[in-house]
Amino acid sequence: MLKHYRSLVEEWNDDQRSRQVNDVVFVTCEGIRSCWGPHQDLGYKCDAAYCFNNHVSRIIQHIDRAVYSIDLAIYAMSSDPIGKALHRASERGVRIRVLSERNFVRLMGTHARYMLIRKIPPPRIPTGREMMMHHKFCIIDGYQSQKELNPTNSDPKLSVYMSGSLNWVSHAKSCDDLLISSSPKVSKRLEQEFNRIWKGLGILPGQHPNIYNYKS
C-alpha cells in the first residue's frame, strides 16, 4: 500500500511540473439569468465570471491555437461561433475529427465539410437497453496525433484537453462545468479512448477524407 501511495505521489508531482494549462469554468443559473438580456445586443462586451458566452470564447481560444489536430467527442454541438473556429482551424491545415451521438450532429451545412465526422449509434447491452454516447471531451494537438502528423517532431506543441458536462451548444439550458488542462496523463488517456471509438466506426455516407484541408 505504501509503495502504491508513493507511486501516486510521484505521478502527481510529474503532472504538477508539466502542467501549463489548468482552468475550470462553470455555467450557472445566475450567470444565464444576469447575462441573457444584455447579450441580445450583439455588440455587448461582458465581464461576468459566469457568462456562458465567455466560456464559449475560452473554448474558441484553444481551438484557435491548434496546429496539428482537434479530436472532439461531443454529445450535442450547435454553437455557430465554435463551428466557425473549427472552420478556421481546418483552413490552417488542422486535422479535425468529431465523434457525436447519431441524433445530435449540428452544423452539418456550413461547417461540416471541414470536419471528419462519425456518428455513434447506441449499442445494445444484454438487458435490451441502448447505451448513449454522452461524452464531452476534446483533445487539441494530442500526443499520438502529433506523432502521426509531425513524425519528425520538428515543432512539438502543448497538448490541451477540455472535458466536463458542458455540451458545445448555442444557448445553455443547464448548469455545467468544463475543465481545461494540459495534464499529460489525462490528455493521453482521453486521446487513447477517442482513437478506440474512432477506429470502430465508419465515415458518414457521402463524405471522404479527400475533401478536407488537412496537412496529411
Side-chain angles (χ1 to χ4, degrees), residues 23-27 59 72-76 133-139 161-169 174-181 186 190:
D23 194 10
V24 63
V25 297
F26 296 99
V27 177
I59 293 173
L72 171 63
I74 195 76
Y75 174 72
M133 197 296 288
H134 211 236
H135 289 308
K136 297 105 177 175
F137 67 85
C138 177
I139 310 102
Y161 72 86
M162 294 178 273
S163 180
S165 63
L166 180 66
N167 279 303
W168 291 10
V169 293
S174 58
C175 296
D176 287 295
D177 61 87
L178 179 70
L179 175 67
I180 306 172
S181 177
V186 180
L190 287 173

Side-chain angles (χ1 to χ4, degrees), residues 60-83:
I60 290 173
Q61 285 175 4
H62 289 284
I63 291 175
D64 283 341
R65 59 161 290 277
V67 174
Y68 297 108
S69 66
I70 298 173
D71 290 334
L72 171 63
I74 195 76
Y75 174 72
M77 181 173 67
S78 63
S79 170
D80 188 59
I82 291 178

